[in-house]
Amino acid sequence: MDYEVVIGLEVHAELATKSKIFCGCKNEFGGEPNTHCCPVCSGHPGVLPVLNRQAVEYAVKAGLALNCQIQRFSKFDRKNYFYPDLPKAYQISQFDLPFCKDGFLDVRAGEKTSRVRINRIHLEEDAGKLVHSEWGSGTLVDYNRCGVPLIEIVTEPDMRSPEEALAFLEQLKSILKYSGVSDCKMEQGSLRCDVNLSLRPFGQAEFGVRSEMKNVNSFSAAFRAMNYEIKRQAKLLDEGKPVEQETRRWDDQKGMSFVMRTKEDAHDYRYFPEPDLVPVVLEQDYIESLRASLPELPAARQARYLEEYGLSEYDAGQLVAEKEVSDFFDACAALCPDKKELCNWVLGEVLRKRKEAGEESPVPLRPEGLAALLALYREGRISQKTARDVFETMWTTGEDPAAIVEREGLAQNNDAGELGGLVRELVDQNPQAVKDFLGGNTKAMAFFVGQVMKATKGKANHKLVNELLQKELESRR
Ligand code: ADP
Ligand code: MG
Ligand code: ZN
């Protein structure tokens, strides 16, 4: 039977604050175990938390960027559970009054745009990390991550395919990075997601029973986990067996998920208001100042590229995916008359070099440099091949393109007299190829072009060479 897929996501993002949420310890990935800790974040009795203002600001900014209602009054709650990575035996989180509610993100997946509603965004503290020791049977605990500020973004079960969920995650990541709220490095665990998924027969109004998958460490793992879960649940339903409401652990190496806990052993967290922190009241002016401080977000930029620059929706979408690339494009666009040509260079050469240098590495080019290179090409002073070579050099040395062309003698040869002489010589020397050409063999033309290019070290004006050859060869008919 064919089932409709229903997906809801819970996404955790670590906030890019300098210090932790309730103490002055460094919020920094890595470091020797237990070196970014103090009595507050390692859960000593009698200490008091002090709320990090920047963390609240980032949580609110995330909410604004995701079209949420910002709650004027919110508070913190204790979520009680025992686990060795949680030294206080409770996590300070938000239960009934989170900072943000009722948002949405319009997600483009393939040809379709659909609205994914955001139920809530709350602020909480991260837990530590268990380290399974490689020198014995024991497990160690590293509290460096304890107290790192986190937001949890909870969606409504609005996604209907793994593709749509993946597009949501990609666009969410892009927005969080644009807003400066989180660096979203999945490999460092600063963006993590739990996948809730259920199936129902098409046309059925009620949702099916869902499972929740944890330990999904990359977007591609999320995609694999969802597809696995769809197959697993469909098989159960086809066999007339019930899907259990349970939490499962995804094992990406094995490509399978395993039961972690069932509904019966679900936690009762005994939430209660955190007595050591006062509720937070946000003034409307403060909220508005944060709204005004948000940069232009990817969707708005994409629309602007369509309207102002006449780019295709696809190209514009590619350009805005990462702020660094989009900022670079914008800076160049101010200097380049042909936006489409610029777009091709950025999506082609710039993204290629950036990928070589490692995902998310900075763009070392100056916008003026790329603009000057495109001008040299446009004015016919260098060939396309030369433009590519000069680009390579600029990427590593940061030099001015005109200086590279000058130094390496790369200027395009547009001299019709000189090239005409060369063409005549070559035609004289290769009577067989001339015969082939006149007999209709198109490869003969390519042969002659290749010879001219070789003789001029690739600097001859391609178009001019073609014209001269055509004329010369026809004259031998
Ligand atoms: P809990 O508090 O038990 O985690 P929630 O109702 O808050 O449950 O839902 C958690 C996540 O599960 C949300 O992202 C929500 O969209 C998703 N979800 C809820 N019901 C379903 C369902 N039937 N199928 C898929 N996802 C669901
Ligand atoms: Mg949950
Ligand atoms: Zn601390």
Side-chain angles (χ1 to χ4, degrees), residues 43-204:
H44 290 207
V47 296
L48 288 172
V50 177
L51 181 59
N52 182 335
R53 186 189 184 91
Q54 182 74 59
V56 175
E57 190 168 314
Y58 283 156
V60 172
K61 272 184 142 178
L64 291 168
L66 293 166
N67 309 295
C68 290
Q69 303 296 324
I70 307 303
Q71 304 301 111
R72 295 283 304 276
F73 183 93
S74 47
K75 69 169 173 69
F76 289 92
D77 301 276
R78 287 190 183 179
K79 179 177 178 178
N80 300 279
Y81 64 93
F82 176 78
Y83 203 66
D85 66 4
L86 189 73
K88 296 196 298 294
Y90 60 84
Q91 177 193 30
I92 303 181
S93 180
Q94 297 191 286
F95 184 56
D96 54 335
L97 296 170
F99 283 110
C100 321
K101 280 167 109 164
D102 300 330
F104 64 86
L105 176 56
D106 286 328
V107 175
R108 181 95 182 157
E111 293 294 290
K112 212 173 113 236
T113 302
S114 40
R115 178 157 293 190
V116 175
R117 289 167 301 157
I118 310 277
N119 173 288
R120 59 188 272 147
I121 302 177
H122 65 254
L123 183 58
E124 61 188 23
E125 58 180 335
D126 210 344
K129 233 189 257 179
L130 296 186
V131 185
H132 304 286
S133 103
E134 58 280 13
W135 60 84
S137 53
T139 293
L140 303 173
V141 64
D142 177 5
Y143 288 156
N144 281 351
R145 205 177 64 180
C146 272
V148 165
L150 274 183
I151 47 173
E152 178 172 343
I153 301 163
V154 182
T155 78
E156 296 294 342
D158 285 350
M159 287 154 278
R160 293 290 174 269
S161 68
E163 288 75 16
E164 204 172 87
L166 193 67
F168 172 86
L169 286 170
E170 273 161 2
Q171 286 164 42
L172 176 69
K173 175 177 170 182
S174 171
I175 289 174
L176 294 178
K177 288 185 71 178
Y178 265 72
S179 325
V181 159
S182 172
D183 65 13
C184 296
K185 292 189 176 152
M186 285 201 91
E187 69 284 4
Q188 295 186 359
S190 54
L191 192 70
R192 315 193 282 267
C193 90
D194 301 338
V195 180
N196 296 272
L197 189 148
S198 65
L199 301 181
R200 64 177 168 189
F202 276 100
Q204 177 183 304

Side-chain angles (χ1 to χ4, degrees), residues 200-215:
R200 64 177 168 189
F202 276 100
Q204 177 183 304
E206 315 87 74
F207 289 135
V209 177
R210 74 183 146 113
S211 67
E212 177 174 355
M213 255 183 303
K214 298 202 177 271
N215 193 43

